[in-house]
Amino acid sequence: SSVYEIRNVRKVYKKGKRLANDDISFEVEEGEILSVLGPNGAGKSTLVKQMMAHAKPTSGSITLFQRDVIRHSREVARHVGYYAQEAWALANLTVREAVLYTARLRGISRQEAERLTGIWLERLELGSLSDRMIKRISGGQRRLAGLAAVMVGDPPVLILDEPTNELDPIKRRLVWDIVHEKNRENGTTVLLVTHNVLEAEQVVDRVAIINQGKLQVIDSVANLKNRV
Ligand code: ADP
Ligand code: ADP
């Protein structure tokens, strides 16, 4: 069954009158790793922002577990771990506080949130940085801290927008291992936004290619390779 249903989504930004998403329709199936692939400016971030109810489609609709995301935006925030490309907003907190804050937003009790925060900071090798201010750590470390916040509490759906940008190969491997493990062991559904074809190919089940705001094709990696 499908987790997300995207139906005829169009997004026109008033500023610049840009058609950022042009009649996009597809479904995200439960338990899959789906990559949204396309060049910079294709409309990928616009699409996932709407899936998070951070922006409203000009027309069309998006449902998560059969519910309209705009009308149920708090549940979306609770059930979907969203990793955005932009710098993190919680810059005035320590690494630990930031992850703890996200856990509490997901409705996890104080004690359990503290325990899980400790586990995720260790897992992402941020233990020694946990009392540092977010704004005082490097860009790569901030990305890992952001991922710890996304992962804490094991949300059933992950939307990761370019999660490994700025990370060295060893940290990239660590991130992919975690994503794979969650998908395999918890059945976590993952939507991975990337412009890196090679990286996507190794981790995903299906690929949706977006170009100039349009969904060009959506299919399994194997089928897409056979076409070429
Ligand atoms: P809307 O048309 O959906 O109301 P706005 O034009 O008000 O969106 O822009 C929302 C935000 O996005 C503003 O903070 C704006 O500075 C920023 N923004 C504007 N143009 C771009 C762009 N081309 N790419 C990314 N962000 C942009
Ligand atoms: P991608 O994530 O694939 O790089 P985006 O969704 O960020 O693409 O952008 C799609 C198009 O919409 C681009 O032309 C971009 O400049 C424009 N755009 C993105 N955000 C805004 C905004 N807030 N206001 C106006 N234009 C925007």
Side-chain angles (χ1 to χ4, degrees), residues 83 88 134-147:
Y83 180 82
W88 208 3
I134 296 267
K135 61 187 172 192
R136 303 242 181 280
I137 61 179
S138 74
Q141 289 164 341
R142 204 171 291 141
R143 283 184 181 254
L144 293 173
L147 282 162

Side-chain angles (χ1 to χ4, degrees), residues 11-18 46 49 55-56 58:
K11 177 67 177 176
V12 183
Y13 286 111
K14 286 175 217 117
K15 191 189 280 171
K17 298 195 171 71
R18 273 185 200 281
T46 297
K49 275 181 204 158
K56 198 172 174 293
T58 305

Side-chain angles (χ1 to χ4, degrees), residues 14 22 30 52 60 90 107 109-110 131 145 173 191-192 209:
K14 286 175 217 117
D22 186 1
E30 190 167 3
M52 289 308 297
L90 304 169
S109 73
R110 179 99 210 169
D131 293 322
R173 186 76 248 167
L191 189 124
L192 172 67
I209 298 175

Side-chain angles (χ1 to χ4, degrees), residues 186-213:
N186 299 32
T188 304
T189 303
V190 184
L191 189 124
L192 172 67
V193 179
T194 182
H195 65 271
N196 187 333
V197 189
L198 290 174
E199 205 163 59
E201 190 187 300
Q202 291 172 31
V203 293
V204 306
D205 302 313
R206 286 200 305 159
V207 177
I209 298 175
I210 295 192
N211 199 11
Q212 297 190 328

Side-chain angles (χ1 to χ4, degrees), residues 4 9 15-16 35 40 51-52 60 72 75 82 88 102 106 114 122 145 151 184-186 205 214 216 226:
Y4 265 109
V9 167
K15 191 189 280 171
S35 174
N40 285 331
M51 292 171 76
M52 289 308 297
H72 298 88
E75 279 153 277
Y82 175 51
W88 208 3
T102 312
R106 299 215 167 107
E114 277 172 6
E122 286 304 318
M151 304 303 290
R184 246 188 353 256
E185 292 178 9
N186 299 32
D205 302 313
K214 286 193 170 71
Q216 310 262 303
N226 285 338

Side-chain angles (χ1 to χ4, degrees), residues 6-172:
I6 289 98
R7 289 278 169 263
N8 306 107
V9 167
R10 290 176 77 252
K11 177 67 177 176
V12 183
Y13 286 111
K14 286 175 217 117
K15 191 189 280 171
K17 298 195 171 71
R18 273 185 200 281
L19 182 55
N21 284 168
D22 186 1
D23 199 24
I24 291 181
S25 299
F26 66 97
E27 294 177 9
V28 182
E29 305 295 341
E30 190 167 3
E32 76 170 333
I33 304 184
L34 171 68
S35 174
V36 173
L37 192 69
N40 285 331
K44 307 181 297 294
S45 296
T46 297
L47 177 67
V48 295
K49 275 181 204 158
Q50 294 171 102
M51 292 171 76
M52 289 308 297
H54 292 176
K56 198 172 174 293
T58 305
S59 62
S61 66
I62 300 178
T63 60
L64 171 67
F65 300 125
Q66 274 82 53
R67 289 167 158 183
D68 183 82
V69 294
I70 296 288
R71 265 179 280 152
H72 298 88
S73 58
R74 289 176 68 184
E75 279 153 277
V76 174
R78 233 171 134 129
H79 295 301
V80 184
Y82 175 51
Y83 180 82
Q85 266 195 79
E86 304 92 67
W88 208 3
L90 304 169
N92 264 320
L93 299 175
T94 67
V95 171
R96 180 195 306 282
E97 285 165 348
V99 178
L100 194 59
Y101 173 81
T102 312
R104 297 288 284 146
L105 278 187
R106 299 215 167 107
I108 299 168
S109 73
R110 179 99 210 169
Q111 214 181 5
E112 180 66 358
E114 277 172 6
R115 192 181 72 82
L116 294 174
T117 295
I119 289 172
W120 277 106
L121 291 180
E122 286 304 318
R123 185 84 203 266
L124 288 160
E125 298 169 7
L126 294 167
S128 64
L129 297 175
S130 55
D131 293 322
R132 292 270 288 277
M133 299 299 282
I134 296 267
K135 61 187 172 192
R136 303 242 181 280
I137 61 179
S138 74
Q141 289 164 341
R142 204 171 291 141
R143 283 184 181 254
L144 293 173
L147 282 162
V150 165
M151 304 303 290
V152 74
D154 292 332
V157 184
L158 296 175
I159 295 183
L160 308 175
D161 194 344
E162 303 277 6
T164 60
N165 270 7
E166 287 184 283
L167 298 182
D168 64 48
I170 294 170
K171 300 292 188 198
R172 280 173 188 246

